[in-house]
Amino acid sequence: MFYRSHVLVCTGSNCNIKGCQGITEALRRELTRLSLEQEVRLVETGCLGLCEHGPALVVYPEGVMYVRLTAADVAEVAEEHLLKGRLVPRLLQPTATVDSGYSLNMSPFFSKQKRIVLKNCGLINPDSIEDYVHADGYIALATTLDTKTPTDVIDVIKKSGLRGRGGAGFPAGRKWEFTRWATGSPKYLICNADEGEPGTFKDRLILEGDPHLILEGMIIAAYAIGATKGIIYIRGEYDLSIRRMEHAIAEARKLGLLGQNILGSELEFDVEVCAGAGAYVCGEETALIESIEGNRGEPRFKPPYPAQQGLWGKPTCVNNVETLANIPAILQHGAEWYQQIGTANSPGTKVFTLTGNIINSGLIEVPMGITLREVIYEIGGGIPEGRSFKMAQTGGTSGGCLAEEHLDIPMDYDSLAGHGSSLGSGALLVMDDSHCIIDLTKCFLKFFVHESCGQCTPCREGTPALYSIIDKLSRGLATESDMRLLKRLSRTMQSSSLCALGQTAPVPVLSALVHFNEEVEAHFKGDCPTCKCHTARGGRQSAN
Amino acid sequence: MTQSMLIQRFIGEPGGLLKALHALQNSNTNNFLSPQDLELVSGAFGVPLAKVWGVATFYSLYSTIPRGRYIIRVCESAPCHVVGAHNILTALAKNLNICTGETTADGKFTLEVTSCLGICGVAPAIMINDTVHGNLTPESLASVLALYN
Amino acid sequence: MLIDVTIDNVCVQVPTGSSLLQAAEKAGIKIPTLCYHPDQSLKAVCRVCVVEIEGQRLLQPACTYPVFQGMQVRTNSPSVREARQTIVELMLSSHPQDCLKCPRNLNCELQSLTQQLNITQSPFPTLPREYQSDSSTFSLIRNPNKCLNCRRCVEACLDVQEIGILYSTGRGKQTIVGTALGQDLNELPCVFCGQCLQACPVGAITEVDETERVWEAIADPRKHVLVQTAPAIRVALGEEFGMPAGAIVTGKLVAALRRLGFDRIYDTDFTADLTIIEEGNELLERLQHGGTLPMITSCSPGWIKFIEHTFPDLLPHLSTCKSPQQMFGALAKTYYAKKVAIDPQDIVVVSIMPCTAKKFEAERPDMRSSGFKDVDIVLTTRELARMLKQSGIQWNDLKEDTYDTPLGISTGAGAIFGATGGVMEAALRTVYEVVTGQELEDIDFKSVRGMDGIKEAQVELGGNVIRVGVAHGLKQARKLMEDIASGTSPYHFIEIMCCPGGCIGGGGQPIPTTNATRQRRIAATYQVDKEMPVRKSHQNEAVSTLYEEFLKRPLGFKSHELLHTHYTKR
């Protein structure tokens, strides 16, 4: 059937919260009332990215996005736009105007983005495998099985320079290679969707918006490394992601994309979903494996690495959702194509989640190497309420805080690492000048105290000790020796903790000491410049 | 369905212990894992009760103490913190007249704090059972709570 | 294959697969450790053993990091020293600073670490924990506030004994080794074997100290205080006084007890011989009259509690014989009391045992067949050492002494009760000769000796082949029990000891007790046996006299009244 218009209603988690269900129902009613059902197709789709402004919908072919909708607004959109072909200016997305360009592609929020991972998000119905196939889905898999050996696939991925998107940035191709050549069977492929890094919700929205993309990436990965069993470990809190993924798996099985003789080839691979139970540390690959095995999610010591001894002691490859989501495109368009995107050492795109004091909080995908300034001011629309930028934390709570002088740093693995931060999971938390670095550091540390698995001494005992010293500092009670201890403890936690949680927990502390030294000094003297810390206003209290 | 039937299908499954705990907690009217539930899992999986207890007390989605019908989980991670999560928590505690970790006298609400829920796009956010409520202000809380009255 | 490793500029060659700890030892360096235990799996959780490895960005734990050719390691660099020191200081920040009152004072791995690393105070704010101490049992006290989360006790309980009373609970700062639902040990199927205590580097698990009650009894002029010493004490007590593991100190032990003021120094080996007569006859009775087989030994109270909890249906397999400790107590307050004409009410029986479960055994309600509590006070080897130190008696100056008669007369067969396989070997020596009427040519049943988990032997007895099995450690015991339950057990007679290595490896023995020390104590045990003039229980003259004067015959009326017991499902 041919439709004159497509209306895509975002049903991602964030819009769901804001009541997109009511919008869909209202629109369906309106289409019936106006007898437009044969002309306009309503698609419930994944995240459009502008979460702050949800509920939202897009009308194609014009590419007009309406935001902050109520059921009443929907009637107006249907009547005006869909029936009469007139824009509804008051509901347009914030950067669009009737004159300068109302199409999505012309808005800086979208025009600055480069969508590989999110290419289908907001365009297709995630619950429909047909929609995914129409959008060239599973073509990369089919051609790969037809024309490439597993080693070819690994070579392509190695050549593309794709690095793990979960945080550490380890070259994905090499990880695959380790697992491919490890002895032992069966081999396992695990998709790490235990997204717990505060301020990160990209994996959730990818899973919700385009589950088949992950499956396709996984099947190709399984082919490359020789895995027969796949597991998608999804946070227990991600209800919708779990449901959508399970639905997608069932659909893929029906079409012979999972199971034995996939697409008529020799390939055998099946996938199941495993739900987490609420532990940030399970994002660490060996903790995740422990959790799948039904144990406390405590990281294992390495070596041996999962590629040698992973799930049930067998060779296992653990890849992040976003890493796997890049695979089909790389195989479809080639390593050279991919390398041209982003920077030399960090090719490709990165999905970021914008949160905090920013106008367009939400989900974006941009080429690696874009500057913080472009992301915050052009895509993100700047700081709301007329306040000014103070700092941004990249990489989630285990990342460092960057100050204004860092706004022009390219966002890629190495540049951010050079400034004591990290790309991490792609969280980007923007904070305006009303915030206090010490108050925030306390907030970060509280998180680690709560989420430390408690297994190794530096992290179990160190996180509360760090917190108590920073707390002392916030009350203007810290001494010189406290400050020395803070540094010594941070060094020890970084060098000696068993896993990345303990190793990175001091990062926000250290970045505060380096980039916001003046403010730290002020607290040391008993003064909180932003008046966020409780007893500081009265001046320095006696330490005795 | 009895509790043991509920977990039957996970028993043969390697690593099915977490799934069994999920199933049992979800079916418990007090939203927690009772000692009987834990013993059942211990017996069914042939795992020492101490280990089942160790697992249940590790993950924050499990509770070993009875909770209310609705569990309010307030995110206190940084993205929510910078847009005023603390005010939400204070307002909720005041509104419900309980502290964090407590259950209202009528057994309706339990107030918990949680790490990031991954819904920062609508921060500050809370989850009440499986439903998320976002972009909250202390003032808008009353209408949210009203949905559960 | 040997590979070259350079540690602090010292080159050493070690076999592939060696740990860095071993390589360092070869280079003459002791890397500090805490969660590492020579008999356990590697954990790498305490992080005390971190070292610098060239090419590695972070410090790595020496206990787990595999050696590789050309490896360059620094174990004493500024960053390593800083990290180690900080880690131990962090441990101290939540550990109670009450060393002076701690039973593990001067034998504490945390204390040794602080000393080794020259730590005099922790700069970290002390974050005291407020866990309830569990003193619900007669055997063990568990004080989680002292726990360092090394998890050695968890492994001892879960993997060595396969009981799993203890496990890591909670998360983050609240992580602590605990029990299911936070229950006390007396509410749980804990067998009080004390292997957790043996594994604990600090004083988080200790025995219930009863030394004060013994001092009181000795000081009371109205009391006639007897002491009995278990076979495993004489090959272990010396370690408490700086002697090497496996030193045989029987004479000094007796001398020391006499100096402490006990009225009579007797030997549990005597009732061990008696046990062989009773148990041997019970076995023959069962073999001849179609009794429940295999019959299983019943000397080990941890094992008894285990089977009562775990395999109650198999209780009829247990020999009804009391343990030698309890037989001694029952006889002391009947036979002995009558013989010396002392009111049993005024007799105090103290036992020195290698075992924490023996404290519980003495409290079992059925252990009062003399009309009084058969055994009044049970001390572990460690508690005895504590009393000796308290008394100021100089161990090195002690002249050897001998046990009193008649309850101190024993044979080599009684002595080997202390090692795994010993009861079986002693029984075979006697049963063979009793049944066949012939003298055994070779009385050493070597196939049932040693640290192998399950051992077996077969003996021809008057035309019938008797198959026997031996297990030590409850993990191995469980295997034999499962075979019995499924009807596939090939044995007629089984010896089971709760603790690895048998009683010489018990929870009441000097700390540390490792498999290496167990081996030495076992070797010493067989040395004791070899040196005894009489090595078969049925040739113990004091036992024969006991039957003549008092018991009349094995399995007779008096025996049943005093030396046998029954078991209950738990």
Side-chain angles (χ1 to χ4, degrees):
Chain A
M1 182 170 306
F2 177 77
Y3 290 101
R4 169 167 68 76
S5 273
H6 283 71
V7 180
L8 280 62
V9 181
C10 173
T11 60
S13 273
N14 288 333
C15 280
N16 217 330
I17 295 157
K18 296 186 155 193
C20 66
Q21 252 178 322
I23 301 302
T24 322
E25 281 159 24
L27 188 61
R28 201 165 274 135
R29 269 199 314 275
E30 287 304 313
L31 293 180
T32 315
R33 185 176 69 85
L34 303 169
S35 307
L36 290 173
E37 302 115 304
Q38 306 298 315
E39 294 172 51
V40 179
R41 183 178 173 222
L42 166 63
V43 183
E44 292 182 61
T45 182
C47 181
L48 297 163
L50 270 171
C51 308
E52 176 67 24
H53 304 285
L57 60 77
V58 186
V59 185
Y60 282 100
E62 302 91 319
V64 174
M65 184 175 194
Y66 293 112
V67 298
R68 296 182 187 271
L69 297 168
T70 63
D73 294 335
V74 172
E76 191 177 339
V77 169
E79 179 99 30
E80 286 295 301
H81 190 141
L82 298 177
L83 188 69
K84 300 176 184 163
R86 296 195 291 236
L87 291 181
V88 187
R90 70 173 183 91
L91 298 172
L92 286 176
Q93 47 126 339
T95 47
T97 62
V98 181
D99 316 320
S100 72
Y102 47 77
S103 164
L104 277 187
N105 302 330
M106 294 165 80
S107 135
F109 182 82
F110 290 101
S111 66
K112 278 260 168 184
Q113 295 195 41
K114 165 85 189 168
R115 294 186 153 219
I116 297 172
V117 169
L118 303 179
K119 70 180 163 90
N120 293 331
C121 271
L123 290 176
I124 63 166
N125 176 354
D127 275 336
S128 157
I129 193 167
E130 289 83 6
D131 267 25
Y132 182 70
V133 171
H134 279 306
D136 290 348
Y138 291 115
I139 284 183
L141 171 66
T143 47
T144 300
L145 293 182
D146 251 7
T147 60
K148 289 192 172 63
T149 66
T151 351
D152 291 344
V153 178
I154 292 178
D155 286 342
V156 171
I157 300 303
K158 274 169 77 178
K159 205 166 152 211
S160 76
L162 174 67
R163 296 170 68 170
R165 296 291 195 254
F170 191 82
R174 277 179 57 204
K175 208 173 194 181
W176 286 14
E177 200 169 39
F178 292 151
T179 319
R180 164 109 216 138
W181 301 120
T183 48
S185 80
K187 288 179 182 168
Y188 293 97
L189 171 70
I190 298 174
C191 169
N192 183 347
D194 189 53
E195 182 176 59
E197 194 63 57
T200 314
F201 46 91
K202 65 179 176 79
D203 295 345
R204 171 181 213 146
L205 296 178
I206 299 169
L207 289 165
E208 287 172 5
D210 201 1
H212 284 287
L213 182 66
I214 311 301
L215 280 184
E216 186 175 1
M218 283 185 81
I219 302 167
I220 295 172
Y223 175 66
I225 65 178
T228 49
K229 179 107 181 98
I231 291 163
I232 308 179
Y233 185 96
I234 306 179
R235 277 189 81 168
E237 292 89 340
Y238 284 10
D239 211 39
L240 184 60
S241 304
I242 294 170
R243 274 187 281 133
R244 290 238 166 106
M245 202 63 204
E246 279 175 342
H247 178 78
I249 290 169
E251 276 187 310
R253 270 193 203 130
K254 238 184 272 168
L255 292 191
L257 290 158
L258 289 173
Q260 287 174 343
N261 304 108
I262 292 172
L263 293 177
S265 72
E266 299 281 285
L267 181 61
E268 179 193 341
F269 181 64
D270 209 344
V271 177
E272 65 165 314
V273 171
C274 185
Y280 164 75
V281 73
C282 288
E284 200 279 344
E285 57 182 8
T286 57
L288 184 147
I289 288 170
E290 284 289 320
S291 183
I292 294 175
E293 292 186 1
N295 300 323
R296 290 163 61 84
E298 292 170 343
R300 300 174 176 174
F301 58 81
K302 298 188 249 188
Y305 292 91
Q308 308 154 272
Q309 281 175 43
L311 184 62
W312 310 113
K314 301 295 180 188
T316 303
C317 178
V318 185
N319 286 136
N320 175 260
V321 169
E322 188 185 343
T323 313
L324 290 165
N326 271 294
I327 302 300
I330 295 174
L331 282 156
Q332 201 177 348
H333 305 295
E336 290 79 11
W337 165 81
Y338 194 75
Q339 273 181 324
Q340 281 161 15
I341 306 162
T343 68
N345 280 329
S346 309
T349 60
K350 181 78 192 84
V351 179
F352 286 98
T353 44
L354 306 184
T355 60
N357 306 125
I358 189 158
I359 289 174
N360 297 329
S361 68
L363 181 74
I364 62 165
E365 182 176 0
V366 290
M368 289 275 192
I370 193 170
T371 65
L372 202 51
R373 189 183 300 279
E374 286 172 280
V375 171
I376 295 173
Y377 287 97
E378 297 184 32
I379 301 175
I383 315 292
E385 294 171 23
R387 301 205 73 109
S388 54
F389 173 85
K390 175 163 182 176
M391 55 189 159
Q393 188 185 43
T394 62
T397 291
S398 54
C401 279
L402 298 172
E404 198 163 359
E405 66 259 33
H406 303 116
L407 277 174
D408 295 310
I409 294 174
M411 307 261 280
D412 60 64
Y413 290 103
D414 309 304
S415 307
L416 285 170
H419 288 83
S421 186
S422 65
L423 200 55
S425 59
L428 182 55
L429 173 63
V430 182
M431 289 156 280
D432 67 28
D433 55 2
S434 70
H435 293 290
C436 164
I437 185 73
I438 297 299
D439 176 63
L440 283 164
T441 306
K442 268 172 74 176
C443 173
F444 301 147
L445 289 174
K446 202 168 173 188
F447 172 78
F448 288 119
V449 171
H450 186 245
E451 294 296 345
S452 164
C453 85
Q455 186 182 208
C456 80
T457 317
C459 183
R460 180 187 63 246
E461 308 293 337
T463 45
L466 273 185
Y467 181 86
S468 76
I469 301 172
I470 292 290
D471 182 53
K472 229 170 144 183
L473 181 62
S474 80
R475 289 184 285 121
L477 299 175
T479 62
E480 294 280 357
S481 73
D482 284 329
M483 301 309 282
R484 278 196 304 274
L485 189 60
L486 190 64
K487 288 177 195 161
R488 171 153 76 92
L489 175 57
S490 298
R491 279 195 299 270
T492 297
M493 289 177 67
Q494 285 186 306
S495 70
S496 306
S497 294
L498 192 148
C499 83
L501 193 155
Q503 287 158 14
T504 56
V507 168
V509 177
L510 293 175
S511 83
L513 292 178
V514 174
H515 301 320
F516 298 90
N517 193 37
E518 259 176 53
E519 203 175 338
V520 173
E521 280 295 314
H523 282 83
F524 184 70
K525 292 182 182 129
D527 190 25
C528 175
T530 55
C531 301
K532 286 269 180 187
C533 296
H534 283 302
T535 61
R537 247 171 285 180
R540 186 173 172 75
Q541 298 187 348
S542 167
N544 308 315
Chain B
M1 193 170 1
T2 66
Q3 302 301 87
S4 59
M5 282 160 69
L6 203 61
I7 63 166
Q8 199 60 44
R9 65 197 170 104
F10 305 121
I11 291 173
E13 197 179 315
L17 195 141
L18 257 62
K19 292 180 182 175
L21 292 179
H22 275 304
L24 289 172
Q25 177 161 292
N26 289 341
S27 78
N28 187 302
T29 42
N30 289 317
N31 266 314
F32 85 121
L33 291 163
S34 69
Q36 294 76 20
D37 290 340
L38 297 169
E39 269 160 32
L40 181 68
V41 170
S42 164
F45 286 84
V47 168
L49 186 59
K51 180 174 170 180
V52 179
W53 177 255
V55 171
T57 54
F58 181 86
Y59 294 99
S60 50
L61 287 185
Y62 301 134
S63 174
T64 52
I65 48 167
R67 296 186 288 185
R69 248 181 306 145
Y70 298 108
I71 295 153
I72 306 180
R73 308 172 71 218
V74 183
C75 171
E76 56 167 14
S77 287
C80 282
H81 177 85
V82 302
V83 293
H86 190 73
N87 300 336
I88 303 298
L89 183 62
T90 317
L92 271 171
K94 204 174 148 199
N95 202 311
L96 300 170
N97 198 21
I98 49 173
C99 297
T100 308
E102 290 179 353
T103 302
T104 51
D106 59 1
K108 193 167 208 173
F109 294 107
T110 299
L111 184 60
E112 293 182 357
V113 292
T114 173
S115 295
C116 184
L117 295 164
I119 38 170
C120 330
V122 293
I126 64 173
M127 251 176 121
I128 301 183
N129 289 355
D130 290 336
T131 312
V132 180
H133 302 270
N135 289 134
L136 297 167
T137 60
E139 295 73 36
S140 67
L141 279 175
S143 62
V144 171
L145 290 179
L147 298 173
Y148 298 88
N149 278 318
Chain C
M1 205 184 84
L2 290 176
I3 53 172
D4 304 299
V5 179
T6 308
I7 301 175
D8 299 333
N9 300 320
V10 177
C11 301
V12 289
Q13 285 200 317
V14 289
T16 27
S18 304
S19 78
L20 200 41
L21 283 182
Q22 290 165 325
E25 209 178 318
K26 212 165 175 197
I29 293 159
K30 188 187 181 305
I31 296 173
T33 56
L34 187 92
C35 67
Y36 174 79
H37 187 288
D39 304 332
Q40 295 196 352
S41 67
L42 299 172
K43 302 176 180 63
V45 295
C46 75
R47 314 305 283 180
V48 170
C49 70
V50 287
V51 294
E52 221 176 293
I53 299 169
E54 202 169 280
Q56 290 290 316
R57 194 171 50 91
L58 305 172
L59 303 182
Q60 298 290 345
C63 62
T64 57
Y65 209 87
V67 290
F68 56 84
Q69 176 62 33
M71 188 181 210
Q72 301 270 344
V73 183
R74 299 214 293 160
T75 73
N76 196 25
S77 66
S79 64
V80 170
R81 274 204 310 276
E82 177 183 277
R84 270 181 200 160
Q85 190 186 344
T86 310
I87 289 165
V88 173
E89 285 170 356
L90 284 170
M91 289 178 180
L92 292 173
S93 73
S94 59
H95 190 83
Q97 316 280 305
D98 63 353
C99 298
L100 298 180
K101 296 182 284 178
C102 180
R104 289 293 295 271
N105 192 19
L106 302 180
N107 185 13
C108 165
E109 294 183 36
L110 182 58
Q111 248 178 6
S112 308
L113 275 177
T114 53
Q115 213 170 19
Q116 192 185 342
L117 303 181
N118 194 21
I119 294 168
T120 48
Q121 60 179 38
S122 171
F124 293 105
T126 42
L127 303 164
R129 298 181 287 200
E130 285 167 359
Y131 295 101
Q132 281 289 321
S133 192
D134 173 3
S135 50
S136 63
T137 73
F138 297 109
S139 299
L140 302 170
I141 297 177
R142 219 173 61 79
N143 180 355
N145 295 311
K146 292 186 180 172
C147 175
L148 299 176
N149 283 298
C150 74
R151 305 174 179 207
R152 282 160 37 168
C153 58
V154 173
E155 184 163 337
C157 190
L158 183 63
D159 297 318
V160 178
Q161 299 292 54
E162 260 188 14
I163 306 178
I165 297 297
L166 301 172
Y167 209 78
S168 263
T169 67
R171 190 173 80 192
K173 181 73 187 156
Q174 271 73 47
T175 307
I176 196 80
V177 172
T179 58
L181 310 161
Q183 282 168 303
D184 282 346
L185 292 178
N186 72 341
E187 301 169 283
L188 292 160
C190 171
V191 304
F192 313 138
C193 69
Q195 288 302 311
C196 53
L197 182 163
Q198 277 292 358
C200 183
V202 295
I205 310 171
T206 53
E207 69 281 350
V208 174
D209 186 302
E210 299 216 78
T211 53
E212 220 30 65
R213 283 183 61 208
V214 177
W215 285 123
E216 271 170 37
I218 292 174
D220 188 339
R222 287 164 303 172
K223 298 292 182 194
H224 182 72
V225 188
L226 305 185
V227 64
Q228 57 166 327
T229 63
I233 311 300
R234 67 208 68 189
V235 294
L237 181 65
E239 293 164 40
E240 289 280 352
F241 300 94
M243 297 176 82
I248 300 169
V249 298
T250 322
K252 277 180 186 280
L253 166 65
V254 176
L257 290 167
R258 205 174 303 284
R259 290 276 292 271
L260 280 177
F262 288 103
D263 294 302
R264 291 288 186 280
I265 321 298
Y266 286 140
D267 199 352
T268 316
D269 290 20
F270 166 78
T271 34
D273 281 332
L274 178 62
T275 303
I276 290 300
I277 306 302
E278 289 291 323
E279 203 164 83
N281 279 288
E282 186 184 355
L283 176 66
L284 292 174
E285 172 80 21
R286 291 196 190 202
L287 284 167
Q288 284 156 7
H289 298 101
T292 308
L293 290 172
M295 185 176 91
I296 315 172
T297 59
S298 55
C299 308
S300 171
W303 149 243
I304 298 296
K305 188 158 189 275
F306 173 78
I307 186 173
E308 286 178 329
H309 281 292
T310 320
F311 295 98
D313 295 343
L314 302 184
L315 287 175
H317 289 269
L318 277 184
S319 160
T320 57
C321 286
K322 285 182 182 171
S323 72
Q325 158 175 280
Q326 293 305 134
M327 286 194 184
F328 183 95
L331 290 174
K333 295 193 178 180
T334 52
Y335 170 65
Y336 173 80
K338 207 165 137 194
K339 218 173 151 89
V340 295
I342 296 176
D343 186 348
Q345 198 171 295
D346 293 329
I347 294 178
V348 177
V349 176
V350 176
S351 354
I352 314 296
M353 293 285 141
C355 180
T356 43
K358 286 280 173 195
K359 289 175 183 272
F360 159 79
E361 183 186 52
E363 303 290 338
R364 288 177 70 115
D366 41 336
M367 296 301 168
R368 297 173 160 269
S369 43
S370 64
F372 304 89
K373 199 173 160 222
D374 295 338
V375 172
D376 295 279
I377 309 168
V378 180
L379 296 185
T380 59
T381 318
R382 294 186 297 270
E383 288 166 272
L384 172 61
R386 235 173 271 153
M387 284 184 74
L388 289 173
K389 286 170 189 169
Q390 228 179 324
S391 71
I393 296 167
Q394 292 303 292
W395 179 259
N396 290 340
D397 298 343
L398 282 170
K399 298 277 174 299
E400 301 206 346
D401 193 353
T402 51
Y403 285 104
D404 295 320
T405 57
L407 307 189
I409 296 171
S410 66
T411 71
I416 57 174
F417 264 57
T420 165
V423 176
M424 181 57 70
E425 183 168 343
L428 292 179
R429 288 178 190 175
T430 289
V431 170
Y432 181 88
E433 295 198 353
V434 168
V435 171
T436 63
Q438 293 167 348
E439 191 172 341
L440 256 180
E441 276 176 35
D442 180 6
I443 66 165
D444 292 343
F445 289 84
K446 291 206 165 117
S447 61
V448 296
R449 297 183 182 180
M451 287 291 284
D452 286 349
I454 293 174
K455 297 164 283 185
E456 52 183 19
Q458 51 187 56
V459 192
E460 214 185 297
L461 280 186
N464 296 318
V465 173
I466 303 295
R467 291 172 196 277
V468 300
V470 171
H472 56 121
L474 295 176
K475 179 188 193 162
Q476 312 298 340
R478 185 187 288 269
K479 287 183 193 151
L480 295 190
M481 288 308 103
E482 277 162 0
D483 286 348
I484 296 176
S486 65
T488 57
S489 178
Y491 305 119
H492 298 93
F493 187 28
I494 293 174
E495 176 207 295
I496 289 179
M497 291 296 155
C498 174
C499 291
C503 306
I504 52 88
Q509 290 285 60
I511 296 169
T513 291
T514 63
N515 285 342
T517 51
R518 286 183 173 102
Q519 298 273 21
R520 295 218 180 91
R521 293 177 195 156
I522 289 174
T525 300
Y526 290 107
Q527 189 61 35
V528 171
D529 168 36
K530 219 167 154 185
E531 288 169 6
M532 292 296 273
V534 182
R535 296 178 63 195
K536 298 166 195 162
S537 298
H538 56 288
Q539 293 172 355
N540 183 329
E541 283 174 15
V543 172
S544 305
T545 314
L546 170 67
Y547 277 107
E548 280 160 28
E549 293 180 356
F550 185 67
L551 295 172
K552 305 304 173 202
R553 60 181 180 83
L555 309 183
F557 175 75
K558 269 265 183 267
S559 287
H560 270 293
E561 191 183 68
L562 296 173
L563 308 183
H564 290 257
T565 184
H566 58 274
Y567 310 100
T568 40
K569 181 182 172 167
R570 284 178 195 272

